[in-house]
Amino acid sequence: MKIRLTTALHAPLAAMTAFAQTTSSTRLISSTALAVIFAFVGSLISQGGDATSPSRSDYDPQPYTPVENTPAQLADKRAALDNFRDQVANNHWEWDQLGHTESSVWGVLKAANISDPAALAEHFDPADGSWHQPLPTPEGGELTKEDYDIHERYLKEVLALAFASQYREANSWGLAFKTLRWYFDNGLAAPHKYNETFTYGTGTTRTNFSKLLLMFGHLFYEEIHDERAADPEVENLFQQLRSYCRAIINAGPQIRGANWCLRMDHCLNYVLFTNEIADMDEYDYHWKKSVGVNRWEKGGVFPDGSMTHHGDIPYWGKYGDALVSRQILYGEIFKDTPWSYEQERLDFITYYMLEGRRWSYYRGVEDFAVSGDQSLIKTGGLDTSEWQKELLKRLLALGEGRLTREADLREAYHNYDAPFWNVSAETGTATTGRASNLSGQRYLWETDYQIHRRPNYSIFVKRNSQRSRAPETRKGGSGTLHLASGFTPILRQGDELFLSRLSWDYQHIPGTTVEQGLSLSGGGSASTIRGLNLFSGGVTDGQYGFGAFEMNLVLFAKDGSGSYSHLNGAGGLKGTFFFDEGMIALGQGIKRIATIESKSGSLENEILTTINNVKRVSEVVYSINGEAEATVPLSESISEENHFLTDLSWLHHDGIGYVIWPFDSSSTKLVLSFEDVRFNEELKESYKSHLNDLLGKTVGRQTWNHGALNMFRLWIDHGANPANDTYAYAVFPDCTVEQLKDYVADLPFEIATNASGMQAVVHPGEGLYYASFSRAGTADFGSGKSLTVDRPLMVMVRQQGASFSFTAANPQHVGRNPGFIAGEGPAIGVLYDKPVPLQQTGFGGRSDLTFNFSNIRGEEGASVPADQ
């Protein structure tokens, strides 16, 4: 007996999209995990995969060799597939996107302004099923957007016939069958093309052609499958529908990366309609191929734990959620069937949740730099922490005690970040949850992204180079380009920056050095905005580390010529160095590198280094040049107060302390601003409901009516035309005013050098020595300790007891993309085929050390220990 799948299915897809933690690790600290993963990756690579993806309008079937099933395997698979259909039909597997329910189909028709489906029968010729309007046919395989619109209208009217037959007793099965035969037999079917036939958007406004046809197929499921064997014409139509919709499970590039996971519902729709073991086998092959390291692709998960999508955009937020949640869901759906995950794939999912995504997540917040156009703070009014924790629980259940890193996964589950807020509806006061125990550091070399975590704070840094670029931004302000220009969010509560960006101009965001007055978008998947620089890297031993990059933001020509235009007049060398107490940020060579042309002519605006720009929630206490401290109550304001520094200066706001060193240039100044800043016009409407969620109804309404946020802003003004300016500041993310004053009186770290392409910092108490070399040179730490290199290199030394360990990374490593301006290697950057030397003095042991960097694609940016 055939099962008609028309039962109303509920359980929002969002409930399955439960968010999870993850993002990155170095080769050092994940060597055990990577050994397991890379062994598995070898099998994935052997399955094939092209170095380049087809164009967006080219959806070629991907290579696949059909499975040869034994009779016993066929019987097992037949039983499993029938059971899956039964589970869906009886609401044991529920989701709202299958699209063959009465409510789903009716929603599509209403969006198409079809109020009387039965009346549309008159649009079809009862003799041959032809439609009342001519259908454009492909010329040279191409249709215009207007042509596709006509095809879409036709298919929706065909769907209306099916709906009327099933739910309006119109008995139009024969006419619907006839018109689809006419559509396919006469070669009228529209060719597959992105945004016309294969979008994956939810709702009814982006319904793709295959989904429309599958809705039809599910409505007439019994008729088609009951009559196939006896009626060759019905069998022929079934095979035509099957062939056209097969692109859902086998066509590139949509089956690569996170879009593939977002389209799981379409794939399952296809399998449930065809009810063919061969189709499920093919889907399973392509799906499992995507559950691995995508060394040959532009998007997906990479050996460092990076997740990218739409090219080289870091994307652990949003699309990363789809990747994690759907891959776990797939495992649940097909658990204990012939299509179950092997342990290696479950281990891989565990790996990128533990060493990947959770590092970009802190106390309910996904870092903007890996979230695309949104920060995943709240969804449906809920904090995301519990959703992400639920994913860990589900993965543990899938593993059934077989996971290689089960102990680590259980530890992560039991110590997951508690939600950071409980907001009073009247006062807007938030109380924080329990701090995370996650402590350490990760550098994601594939995406120029670094995370420094301690239980009481998290600092993220997103840099750019020719290897990677800014996050995709479709909303949130036109200036979001600079979310990769050294953007350094400092989180203690977790939510500091989400509301703060309502009053950002996006050229004035934490950690960046930017020419003001230029609003530019970070761009979408086809953007050629990159850094002109090859130098961008980081080194870490998993607990400590640092990173640096040369800043030179450009737009490359799309013709592949290597020509470019500057996007920002600010250039320089910027580094961030991390310790238990916080970080030091250093800049050198800050200068104007180009004049930007705009509609208004030549712009020479001030170049600013923004230390922080955040909603003010407490009084500000500060001391400039060692003078008596001043306190600015929350009720009072200061509007851009300028200071020329001659001595260490400090400020304290919301539990975060800032220390700023005097500048080399007498014209450079520190600017303090504690005042109301008007809402960003591009953002404010999207924040209207968030204000109530974050501040409570009363305070949220008052803030909305006020139209501004009280902001704590702190920046360095280098002037319009700086010449090799420098800066140095430290951030202590969790301290009292008294503790900050103690730090200032006896700084726990020292700046060894910030000149000539080198930046070096030492923290004697933690036994840490950091040296960033953008060129060959010697870093002198004093006390007889020095490091000398003959090329660009990132080096850290860590003392533990009487021993010293040396770790290094290649800051000009080869990227995953071909160079816009070719480097010395086969792609972007430089590969070190031979051991790289390091000369050291004062650290004991051998004076001449070497580092052996990997030349395996995807591993070249990893931190490695010295050969000793």
Side-chain angles (χ1 to χ4, degrees):
M1 175 179 176
K2 302 296 182 183
I3 303 171
R4 184 187 301 282
L5 298 179
T6 55
T7 308
L9 306 181
H10 304 293
L13 189 62
M16 294 180 260
T17 328
F19 306 108
Q21 304 186 58
T22 28
T23 307
S24 127
S25 96
T26 68
R27 182 174 161 199
L28 274 173
I29 57 92
S30 62
S31 57
T32 302
L34 285 174
V36 175
I37 300 309
F38 289 166
F40 170 49
V41 169
S43 67
L44 294 180
I45 294 175
S46 67
Q47 295 174 358
D50 299 327
T52 59
S53 297
S55 65
R56 302 193 76 174
S57 60
D58 184 8
Y59 282 80
D60 295 331
Q62 296 301 290
Y64 170 68
T65 302
V67 174
E68 294 184 6
N69 291 299
T70 65
Q73 289 172 325
L74 284 172
D76 287 344
K77 289 181 176 180
R78 181 75 270 160
L81 195 54
D82 288 345
N83 181 65
F84 176 43
R85 289 186 53 78
D86 180 67
Q87 293 293 311
V88 172
N90 291 285
N91 288 340
H92 296 146
W93 285 110
E94 305 180 45
W95 56 88
D96 65 355
Q97 296 294 304
L98 279 179
H100 54 263
T101 68
E102 178 180 2
S103 60
S104 296
V105 177
W106 183 233
V108 170
L109 298 182
K110 286 199 298 182
N113 295 316
I114 297 174
S115 58
D116 186 2
L120 293 179
E122 63 185 38
H123 286 183
F124 300 86
D125 189 326
D128 64 359
S130 60
W131 196 41
H132 72 108
Q133 181 178 346
L135 277 173
T137 56
E139 295 183 9
E142 292 292 330
L143 295 176
T144 67
K145 176 65 172 68
E146 292 71 22
D147 292 339
Y148 277 105
D149 290 341
I150 296 172
H151 277 262
E152 182 178 359
R153 182 66 191 187
Y154 163 75
L155 290 175
K156 287 183 176 178
E157 292 197 4
V158 174
L159 184 62
L161 293 182
F163 183 84
S165 181
Q166 296 298 338
Y167 298 112
R168 298 291 188 269
E169 299 181 357
N171 194 27
S172 53
W173 153 241
L175 183 58
F177 166 81
K178 189 174 293 185
T179 190
L180 283 182
R181 285 294 310 276
W182 167 80
Y183 187 61
F184 287 111
D185 290 349
N186 289 284
L188 298 174
H192 287 290
K193 188 172 183 180
Y194 193 86
N195 288 333
E196 274 78 31
T197 65
F198 212 89
T199 55
Y200 60 87
T202 59
T204 57
T205 59
R206 298 179 66 194
T207 305
N208 65 65
F209 288 15
S210 293
K211 186 173 181 179
L212 291 172
L213 288 170
L214 288 173
M215 285 180 166
F216 173 92
H218 282 293
L219 288 176
F220 282 134
Y221 181 85
E222 289 184 357
E223 288 82 350
I224 291 173
H225 285 276
D226 284 346
E227 297 177 25
R228 282 175 56 199
D231 190 336
E233 290 191 353
V234 175
E235 172 65 16
N236 187 39
L237 178 61
F238 168 76
Q239 294 299 343
Q240 287 168 327
L241 290 171
R242 179 188 179 198
S243 177
Y244 188 86
C245 297
R246 179 168 170 253
I248 288 175
I249 65 166
N250 84 336
Q254 70 267 23
I255 63 173
R256 301 163 180 165
N259 275 11
W260 178 227
C261 294
L262 283 169
R263 291 172 175 133
M264 175 189 276
D265 47 1
H266 296 351
C267 297
L268 294 179
N269 229 334
Y270 173 77
V271 169
L272 287 169
F273 165 66
T274 68
N275 199 24
E276 296 280 344
I277 292 170
D279 294 337
M280 184 61 219
D281 281 342
E282 183 174 12
Y283 172 40
D284 183 65
Y285 165 80
H286 289 300
W287 180 272
K288 287 179 178 174
K289 181 180 173 182
S290 74
V291 186
V293 173
N294 291 345
R295 289 170 181 258
W296 55 85
E297 295 294 351
K298 290 185 177 180
V301 178
F302 294 89
D304 65 340
S306 289
M307 158 68 188
T308 71
H309 198 53
H310 289 181
D312 52 5
I313 298 173
Y315 239 136
W316 266 124
K318 192 177 180 179
Y319 286 109
D321 296 324
L323 186 80
V324 171
S325 63
R326 266 59 160 211
Q327 288 190 354
I328 291 177
L329 177 61
Y330 190 93
E332 292 171 330
I333 291 174
F334 296 108
K335 184 179 180 181
D336 300 325
T337 75
W339 301 291
S340 297
Y341 282 144
E342 309 93 323
Q343 180 180 337
E344 290 88 347
R345 283 186 167 82
L346 292 172
D347 279 344
F348 179 75
I349 297 172
T350 301
Y351 161 71
Y352 68 63
M353 289 182 72
L354 289 176
E355 301 297 345
R357 190 172 184 276
R358 72 169 174 159
W359 287 88
S360 69
Y361 171 90
Y362 176 70
R363 303 187 77 173
V365 184
E366 191 80 48
D367 178 26
F368 303 148
V370 292
S371 296
D373 57 13
Q374 59 188 353
S375 173
L376 305 176
I377 286 194
K378 285 189 173 183
T379 299
L382 301 175
D383 186 283
T384 62
S385 298
E386 290 303 316
W387 292 32
Q388 299 204 48
K389 186 173 182 179
E390 180 65 19
L391 273 184
L392 299 179
K393 181 179 180 181
R394 288 164 58 188
L395 182 56
L396 283 165
L398 268 180
E400 294 184 319
R402 296 179 291 118
L403 298 175
T404 302
R405 299 187 63 186
E406 179 162 340
D408 294 337
L409 197 62
R410 289 191 180 279
E411 186 273 337
Y413 173 77
H414 290 298
N415 293 286
Y416 208 85
D417 294 10
F420 69 83
W421 63 57
N422 284 300
V423 180
S424 165
E426 295 304 317
T427 66
T429 302
T431 58
T432 61
R434 172 177 52 83
S436 167
N437 74 332
L438 185 61
S439 181
Q441 188 179 108
R442 299 294 184 268
Y443 179 63
L444 286 69
W445 56 87
E446 295 285 6
T447 48
D448 294 317
Y449 182 64
Q450 196 156 22
I451 307 107
H452 183 68
R453 285 287 299 270
R454 293 297 181 263
N456 53 337
Y457 71 86
S458 187
I459 301 175
F460 306 93
V461 183
K462 176 66 180 81
R463 308 177 182 99
N464 61 40
S465 67
Q466 283 193 46
R467 293 189 297 268
S468 69
R469 56 194 168 97
E472 183 176 39
T473 50
R474 299 179 184 177
K475 60 186 178 182
S478 63
T480 47
L481 170 68
H482 296 297
L483 290 177
S485 297
F487 174 50
T488 308
I490 304 156
L491 303 183
R492 191 176 61 89
Q493 294 276 83
D495 66 333
E496 288 94 332
L497 296 186
F498 180 69
L499 189 56
S500 299
R501 62 181 179 159
L502 175 55
S503 288
W504 276 359
D505 63 10
Y506 280 90
Q507 302 136 59
H508 201 15
I509 57 178
T512 61
T513 302
V514 171
E515 179 182 14
Q516 301 301 289
L518 304 174
S519 292
L520 296 168
S521 171
S525 58
S527 171
T528 57
I529 297 173
R530 298 290 192 284
L532 181 61
N533 56 298
L534 296 178
F535 180 84
S536 178
V539 63
T540 178
D541 64 359
Q543 192 66 24
Y544 299 95
F546 71 90
F549 78 116
E550 290 175 347
M551 188 175 58
N552 197 335
L553 198 61
V554 299
L555 173 66
F556 285 100
K558 293 187 177 181
D559 61 8
S561 65
S563 61
Y564 56 86
S565 56
H566 287 274
L567 291 181
N568 196 262
L573 178 64
K574 294 168 62 68
T576 38
F577 304 79
F578 299 99
F579 309 99
D580 285 335
E581 301 95 339
M583 74 170 194
I584 288 181
L586 299 180
Q588 65 172 266
I590 308 301
K591 60 184 179 297
R592 176 169 294 281
I593 56 175
T595 297
I596 309 301
E597 297 300 323
S598 74
K599 293 179 181 178
S600 61
S602 177
L603 292 177
E604 292 190 352
N605 301 310
E606 286 85 357
I607 292 174
L608 308 182
T609 295
T610 302
I611 298 174
N612 213 346
N613 185 356
V614 65
K615 182 177 180 291
R616 187 154 65 123
V617 297
S618 73
E619 66 181 17
V620 179
V621 182
Y622 66 96
S623 171
I624 304 298
N625 294 328
E627 298 175 356
E629 66 186 59
T631 300
V632 181
L634 190 56
S635 59
E636 296 181 9
S637 298
I638 288 180
S639 179
E640 299 194 15
E641 183 176 282
N642 299 312
H643 295 276
F644 297 94
L645 302 190
T646 58
D647 200 350
L648 280 180
S649 301
W650 58 264
L651 298 90
H652 187 275
H653 167 256
D654 190 28
I656 301 177
Y658 308 87
V659 177
I660 302 92
W661 275 256
F663 311 117
D664 289 344
S665 171
S666 60
S667 62
T668 301
K669 55 194 176 186
L670 179 69
V671 185
L672 324 179
S673 178
F674 322 133
E675 62 179 341
D676 283 356
V677 178
R678 301 296 298 174
F679 293 162
N680 184 319
E681 288 297 320
E682 295 180 79
L683 283 171
K684 69 178 185 180
E685 286 300 324
S686 66
Y687 266 78
K688 190 170 184 178
S689 61
H690 285 303
L691 287 173
N692 289 341
D693 290 338
L694 296 172
L695 300 177
K697 292 182 180 179
T698 300
V699 177
R701 184 169 54 253
Q702 292 171 348
T703 302
W704 176 259
N705 292 336
H706 183 55
L709 288 179
N710 188 357
M711 300 291 287
F712 170 87
R713 296 189 295 163
L714 181 64
W715 69 88
I716 301 165
D717 188 340
H718 302 280
N721 289 285
N724 296 316
D725 204 2
T726 63
Y727 67 78
Y729 65 86
V731 178
F732 299 92
D734 190 12
C735 67
T736 65
V737 173
E738 293 305 313
Q739 287 172 327
L740 177 59
K741 289 193 286 187
D742 289 342
Y743 284 138
V744 173
D746 185 16
L747 285 169
F749 31 62
E750 302 170 12
I751 300 171
T753 185
N754 184 26
S756 303
M758 292 180 293
Q759 295 176 322
V761 179
V762 57
H763 191 307
E766 293 174 7
L768 293 169
Y769 302 81
Y770 294 148
S772 168
F773 299 91
S774 67
R775 64 196 68 179
T778 297
D780 188 344
F781 296 99
S783 302
K785 292 181 172 62
S786 67
L787 299 173
T788 301
V789 300
D790 65 356
R791 69 196 74 194
L793 207 63
M794 301 286 189
V795 185
M796 64 174 287
V797 184
R798 184 177 175 187
Q799 181 178 7
Q800 293 177 289
S803 64
F804 293 88
S805 60
F806 297 80
T807 308
N810 176 3
Q812 295 191 134
H813 67 86
V814 175
R816 293 178 290 106
N817 298 313
F820 288 90
I821 297 178
E824 297 176 27
I828 296 173
V830 181
L831 288 176
Y832 297 142
D833 296 320
K834 298 178 180 179
V836 175
L838 169 74
Q839 294 293 319
Q840 66 89 4
T841 60
F843 293 100
R846 290 171 43 194
S847 61
D848 55 330
L849 304 174
T850 56
F851 298 94
N852 283 289
F853 295 106
S854 173
N855 287 337
I856 297 174
R857 188 179 180 194
E859 296 183 59
E860 326 88 53
S863 299
V864 300
D867 296 322
Q868 291 180 276

